[in-house]
Structure formats: C-alpha cells, structure tokens
Amino acid sequence: MEQPARAYRSHLQPACLPCRRRKSRCHNEASGSCLMCQAHGTDCIYPPNPRSLTEGSRRRRRGRQNTASAPTSRVIRAASGSRQPAPVFDSPEDQQNLHIIGPTGANDTQVLSDYLSRTPGASLGAQNLIPVPASRSRSIFFTRIDKRPLGINLYHNPAAEKLETIERIIEPWGPVLRDVYFAKVNPCFPVFEEKAFREQTSKGIDKVSPALLACLNAHALVYWSRSPVLRDQYCPNGRYIWNLANEALYSELHLQPSISIIQAIILNVGGRPTTSLMGNAALLGAAVSMANSLGLNRNPMGWDIPSSQRNQRMRIWWTLLFYDRWSSLTHGTPPRISRDHYDVPAPTIDCLCEEVPDESGEAVAEVFIALMSLTEVLNEFLQRIYRIHGQDDQVSGTLELQLNRWVESLRGRVRHIVVRGTSLNVPGSANLRLSYLAIRLLAQRIALESTKQSTEADRNALLSSYFQARQTAEDIVSSSREFGPFQSGDFWPSVSAFVYPATVSFLLRCALESCDSARDIAKDASFRIARDLLEVIKGHKEKHGWDLADLCLAQHSGIVEKICREATPDDHSATQESENWHDFLMSDTSFLDQFFPSFWDPPGQEPLA
C-alpha cells in the first residue's frame, strides 16, 4: 500500500509544548490532542501563534504585564471587609506571587481601601481575607507580583529539562522513590502535606514545580537501599542527580521563585551527603528572604483560608526555622531568623496529622514537636555564642538551666528517648536523642570556657567542668553504639553529620592540652573516648552504609592513627618519647591545622547539595 505523505509542518502549526519537552514527534489529531499526549495522558498545549497577535493585542499584553508588576496591582487583606473567596497562595498554574506589604504600608493601604470601598466604581482591586470567628489577628495585606522577570519567555523552563533527565535516569522507579520519601522522611520532617501533594501529582508531574520534584528525587536517593522494592535495583549516581537538581533549583529560583522553591531549598539543604556549605548558606538566605516576603513568618491561624493552606505554610516555616538554627550551630554563622520577627505558633499534633493519628503516627508527631521545642532552646545558645558586644560570663548557667527546664517539660515516651536513650524505634527518635546530647555538650563547653576565663576559679572547678563535658561525649558514644539497621536507615537531617566531628575535636583538644607526649595522649581518657567513637561510626558505615559517618572519619581518622603510631615503641621511640608535644603545639600552631581540617573543605568531596 502507498504510504501517506508526511504532513508539512510550518511555523503556523508548531509542535505542542509537552512534545517539545519530550523531544518527540508531534502528530496532530482532529480531536485537538496529539498522539503522544494521548499516550502519556498529558494536556496537549500549543504555544500562541505570534502572527495572530495584532499590534493592539501586543500592546494590551504588555500593558497587563506592566500592571501586574505594579506594587498596588491587587491587594489581599487578612482582616475586615466584604467576604470573597480565599486566594490560593501558590499554584503551578498561577504566574504571580502574593508579596506581603509591610506594617507601615499596610496601614496606608487599609485607609485607602476603606475609602474606595465606599466610592461607587472606585476600587484598589482588593480581595479580603476574613478572619475566622474570635480571631484577633492583625490586618495583613498582600499584593500580586509577577513570578518571572520581565522579558523572559513564559514557556522557557530549564528546570523542566533537568527534571526530565532525572526522571529518565530513575525510571521506572520515580513513583516508588517518592513513596520512599513519604514513608521515611516526611512523617519525621513534614515539609509537605502528603494528601495535597499526591492529589497535585496525580494530575501529572508537570503540575508541580520541576525544581521541587528534582530535589525531592535527589533527597530520597539516600534511602534507596532501605526500600524493599529498590534495594535489589541499580541505584543511580547520586552525585550526577544532585548536580542536575541544583541546576534546576537555581534556574527556577531566578525565573519563577515561589513557595515551592522554598520547599525545594529545604530539601536541597537537607540533602545528604552535605559538601557545599557555602552554597547551602546562600540558599538558606534566599529561602528566609522569600519566606518573609510571602508572609510565611506570620501566624495564619486566623486567616479565612483552607486549613490545608494554613498547615502547609506553617510546615514550611517550621522546617526552614530548624535548618536556620542548626546550620548556624554547625556552620559557624549567626542565624538569619530573629525570634521577634515571626509569630507562627509551635507545631501541634492537630496541625501535623492530616487525619486522626494512630499510636505510631502520634509518636512520630511528638518527636517532631520535641525537636522543634529543642530548636527554640538552641536559639538561646546561638544568641550567646554570636553576641559580639555585652558578653556575660553568668549566661552559661542560665543556658544550662533552660536546657534542664526543657528536659523537665517532657513527658512519656519522648522523655524516655531524651533522658534514657530508649524507645529509639520511633522514627526520628535517634536524631532527637543525638541533638539533645549535642546541645548538652555545647552547654558544658560554654561553662568550661567561662570557668577557664574566671580569675576566681580553682583547679577542682576546672576539672569538674572537664569531667562533665567528657561524660556527655561518652554518652554520645554509648547512644551511637546502640544504633542498629533501623536507626542507621532512619531519618537524619544533614546537620546531624556535624555532631560527630565536633565531639571528636573537643575530645582530642582535651587530650592534647593535658598531655605532653604521644604515649601519654594515647593513654588519656578523652583520647580513648574519641577513638571509640570513630570505631563505632566506622562500624555503622561498613555494616549499614551510614553516610553520616563520612565527614568525621575523613577529618579525624588520620590524626588518631598518627597518635597511635607515635605511641607504639619502635627503633626511633627514644627520640620521639623525649619530644615535648605541649611545647611543640605552642611553638607551631600550624600543627593544629593538620589535626583539625576545616569544615569548609571536606577531603575528597565535590560540591553537591
């Protein structure tokens, strides 16, 4: 039979947008949907025909773009006024963001809006958010602004191209990998409302931010071997996928910033392994700035919007606040969020659990609530650590008291997790226990430094401070030794990896300050605890593939091995034993650089997430 001639495709009939992204041939159908879109179940959307735009329509379109960028284009008020449908704060189909208006400008806007509402035919285009009954929330105003910079093609989306590459690499396991994320991570660290996310993705992954999906896939890769379905399948190269996810994130951050990008940044910063600290710091700064611009720092409980939107806004703020505080501790920089600049309430079980929780779901929610309350305690420590003016030596006692009060406020199984180190089979509990011990060690180190600087402190008080801090470090070793396959494969935020090198650094410092020779150092109790900790996490690395051990092993295995070799008698031991290590340390401080490599340049690693 004679084959039909291929239809001529001119610029008047271009390929549809999904076929362009797939780089597939677009066969037009009389029904309006091409064959490829029918096969994939996607919406067949064609770009506008530039020849069909008259000069007048082009002028009108440019006028609408300029109007949308005006600061008073559309105002949405969170209190008083007539009742209108609640706005959607972030939607894939919405090409505009709701930018909050500051308190000073909000007062001016409210007066002008009230005046124009009484004038027939005059309006600011205001849309009101009526507070729920009995709410005392203040008036909060938003204005609509374009997500994209002017002059950028609406249909140009480099992030979607990166996501398509990632999806091809992990196919056909993309949905399974995302199921692993919602099973292992999201209950312990609720960035998403799972039900709303699945409803959105059921309409097609093109309905979700490409950068968000790219970072979610990359974030979940670390749990690949923990899935019964995926553990026997080939795991893709995580480094390559993280690089693609980073490119998608940065391009969408420039072209179309939104609430989804803040979620993507949280997933990116929390990704493991962590090697790009400067990049994470820049992303966190951008996320905090966008969160303030979008009003995520404000309490939405009194807003007349769907409860799913209220809960989602608070979830994003809680998780962003967590990484801001804990990365401040681990990266050595002041926090970006001040306690005076937000009024989002603390998490509750009702806000965390979408449905009536069972016992296991309630236990996981209690662990997250305790983790966030501990994060508030950490903020008090950070204010003390990074305060440049007005240092107070008596603050250390106050900090320890606040931590002890937090422990006393705990009840039930959460108290057992924190105090006794039991019930570690609850998801997220091992991380909560380690986080508490890290802050307890921090409090004792601050107290130790205050004791050393005090002119009235005696030797016994100094030794007591040393013993208390060393006991906490030993508790970290004991708690880590009890980790099994469940705890190693459990949820761990990226910042938890820094607890171990900080603990080992402190123990080695104690040994170096109190001993003069390598043989004495090897016999010191602090050095033995540091060596035990390295052996414990190395065992978890070898048995369970625990990546949280990588940073500590890379930084401190060499110095421990060096000291052990120096302490072993050999032909040159006579000269080495006579060497005074204390004098050597004091005369050449570069020796410390060999023993304590910088956190900013982890050996043998390239920037990832």
Side-chain angles (χ1 to χ4, degrees):
M1 296 180 62
E2 196 176 55
Q3 296 292 334
R6 179 183 175 186
Y8 170 72
R9 181 179 304 284
S10 67
H11 292 289
L12 293 177
Q13 293 180 334
C16 69
L17 296 177
C19 284
R20 288 186 175 186
R21 289 195 294 267
R22 289 190 294 262
K23 296 181 174 63
S24 59
R25 182 173 297 174
C26 185
H27 297 276
N28 297 87
E29 288 289 305
S31 61
S33 179
C34 71
L35 293 178
M36 293 299 294
C37 286
Q38 292 180 22
H40 286 82
T42 58
D43 295 334
C44 193
I45 303 173
Y46 290 89
N49 188 350
R51 298 186 181 182
S52 64
L53 293 177
T54 64
E55 185 62 28
S57 63
R58 291 176 181 173
R59 284 197 301 267
R60 288 193 297 271
R61 187 177 64 175
R62 287 195 296 266
R64 285 196 300 270
Q65 292 177 347
N66 294 333
T67 304
S69 302
T72 58
S73 61
R74 190 180 182 189
V75 179
I76 296 173
R77 191 166 62 188
S80 74
S82 60
R83 189 177 187 86
Q84 297 183 16
V88 177
F89 279 88
D90 188 39
S91 173
E93 295 82 9
D94 192 1
Q95 298 301 321
Q96 293 182 324
N97 274 329
L98 294 179
H99 191 290
I100 196 169
I101 298 178
T104 304
N107 295 333
D108 301 338
T109 303
Q110 182 171 10
V111 173
L112 182 58
S113 178
D114 292 341
Y115 171 77
L116 292 177
S117 64
R118 298 189 297 269
T119 304
S123 174
L124 270 180
Q127 182 175 350
N128 302 332
L129 280 173
I130 309 302
V132 296
S135 172
R136 298 182 178 179
S137 61
R138 297 172 55 188
S139 297
I140 299 176
F141 292 81
F142 291 89
T143 181
R144 285 193 175 274
I145 60 173
D146 281 346
K147 290 181 179 179
R148 285 177 173 265
L150 292 177
I152 298 296
N153 186 357
L154 181 64
Y155 302 104
H156 178 64
N157 193 343
E161 299 174 1
K162 304 301 179 183
L163 173 62
E164 183 181 6
T165 303
I166 294 176
E167 290 289 331
R168 288 181 177 178
I169 293 174
I170 64 177
E171 66 180 5
W173 307 114
V176 178
L177 185 61
R178 289 187 282 274
D179 289 342
V180 171
Y181 173 85
F182 282 100
K184 300 289 295 184
V185 182
N186 203 63
C188 304
F189 201 69
V191 180
F192 302 96
E193 276 207 334
E194 182 178 358
K195 182 179 180 181
F197 180 85
R198 292 192 180 278
E199 288 178 353
Q200 199 170 21
T201 54
S202 65
K203 304 174 184 177
I205 61 174
D206 56 330
K207 302 298 182 182
V208 185
S209 159
L212 178 59
L213 275 180
C215 290
L216 192 154
N217 290 332
H219 187 103
L221 273 181
V222 73
Y223 301 97
W224 183 282
S225 61
R226 315 296 177 180
S227 169
V229 179
L230 298 178
R231 66 178 53 163
D232 297 328
Q233 306 297 328
Y234 170 75
C235 182
N237 187 300
R239 184 180 299 273
Y240 180 61
I241 290 182
W242 264 124
N243 288 337
L244 290 174
N246 285 339
E247 293 176 12
L249 175 59
Y250 279 105
S251 64
E252 194 164 327
L253 178 62
H254 166 63
L255 293 177
Q256 199 168 2
S258 63
I259 287 182
S260 297
I261 293 301
I262 301 178
Q263 294 174 290
I265 290 176
I266 293 172
L267 294 176
N268 189 284
V269 170
R272 293 160 35 198
T274 298
T275 56
S276 181
L277 302 189
M278 296 295 288
N280 286 348
L283 286 175
L284 270 177
V288 172
S289 298
M290 284 193 295
N292 290 329
S293 298
L294 299 173
L296 295 180
N297 61 320
R298 301 308 305 269
N299 181 5
M301 295 301 293
W303 300 1
D304 187 23
I305 58 177
S307 60
S308 59
Q309 288 192 25
R310 289 198 297 265
N311 292 338
Q312 185 60 57
R313 291 173 68 86
M314 291 190 293
R315 285 167 180 255
I316 297 174
W317 181 258
W318 295 329
T319 51
L320 181 61
L321 184 67
F322 171 86
Y323 275 114
D324 179 63
R325 299 274 167 81
W326 285 93
S327 65
S328 171
L329 175 64
T330 57
H331 297 176
T333 56
R336 303 162 185 81
I337 300 176
S338 172
R339 187 63 187 88
D340 297 331
H341 296 161
Y342 68 92
D343 59 352
V344 179
T348 63
I349 293 181
D350 292 338
C351 294
L352 294 173
C353 300
E354 303 173 24
E355 301 176 353
V356 178
D358 54 13
E359 184 177 358
S360 60
E362 185 174 349
V364 176
E366 289 176 350
V367 169
F368 179 75
I369 292 171
L371 181 64
M372 290 308 302
S373 61
L374 180 62
T375 302
E376 291 294 341
V377 176
L378 173 62
N379 184 53
E380 301 299 325
F381 285 78
L382 298 176
Q383 301 306 316
R384 164 65 171 81
I385 293 173
Y386 295 110
R387 184 182 302 156
I388 298 178
H389 303 289
Q391 297 284 1
D392 186 1
D393 295 337
Q394 303 299 323
V395 172
S396 59
T398 305
L399 295 177
E400 287 191 86
L401 178 60
Q402 290 181 348
L403 182 60
N404 292 333
R405 285 177 174 172
W406 175 81
V407 174
E408 290 300 313
S409 68
L410 302 177
R411 296 291 183 271
R413 53 193 160 207
V414 175
R415 184 178 179 86
H416 295 165
I417 292 170
V418 171
V419 178
R420 302 179 184 176
T422 59
S423 302
L424 295 184
N425 288 329
V426 177
S429 57
N431 173 66
L432 176 62
R433 166 72 172 166
L434 183 64
S435 300
Y436 161 69
L437 293 176
I439 296 186
R440 196 175 85 182
L441 179 60
L442 175 63
Q444 292 165 347
R445 293 182 65 178
I446 293 176
L448 174 61
E449 294 298 327
S450 298
T451 303
K452 292 174 65 175
Q453 296 175 7
S454 176
T455 57
E456 301 177 358
D458 56 10
R459 178 176 176 80
N460 292 334
L462 185 61
L463 289 177
S464 178
S465 298
Y466 268 114
F467 291 153
Q468 290 179 3
R470 193 165 62 190
Q471 180 62 49
T472 299
E474 196 166 3
D475 289 342
I476 293 178
V477 178
S478 301
S479 181
S480 302
R481 184 178 284 114
E482 296 174 359
F483 292 167
F486 176 84
Q487 287 76 25
S488 300
D490 195 12
F491 161 74
W492 291 97
S494 58
V495 289
S496 296
F498 294 87
V499 174
Y500 291 113
T503 303
V504 174
S505 295
F506 170 73
L507 292 170
L508 293 180
R509 170 194 171 186
C510 293
L512 292 171
E513 288 182 344
S514 58
C515 301
D516 294 332
S517 66
R519 180 170 297 182
D520 293 338
I521 292 176
K523 296 179 181 179
D524 186 80
S526 298
F527 179 80
R528 292 200 306 269
I529 297 173
R531 184 178 57 190
D532 291 345
L533 180 55
L534 288 174
E535 292 177 355
V536 167
I537 62 176
K538 184 179 180 181
H540 293 325
K541 171 67 176 177
E542 295 173 349
K543 294 179 183 178
H544 312 301
W546 201 42
D547 59 290
L548 254 69
D550 293 346
L551 183 61
C552 186
L553 293 175
Q555 291 185 349
H556 296 110
S557 293
I559 173 58
V560 171
E561 294 175 358
K562 178 178 177 63
I563 292 177
C564 291
R565 287 197 304 267
E566 295 288 341
T568 303
D570 54 21
D571 296 339
H572 303 285
S573 60
T575 58
Q576 292 176 351
E577 288 179 358
S578 62
E579 182 181 8
N580 189 314
W581 281 51
H582 180 75
D583 293 341
F584 181 69
L585 285 173
M586 295 301 102
S587 61
D588 185 7
T589 57
S590 63
F591 180 77
L592 289 174
D593 295 334
Q594 303 172 14
F595 280 15
F596 306 110
S598 172
F599 282 172
W600 307 107
D601 300 306
Q605 299 287 343
E606 298 178 7
L608 282 182

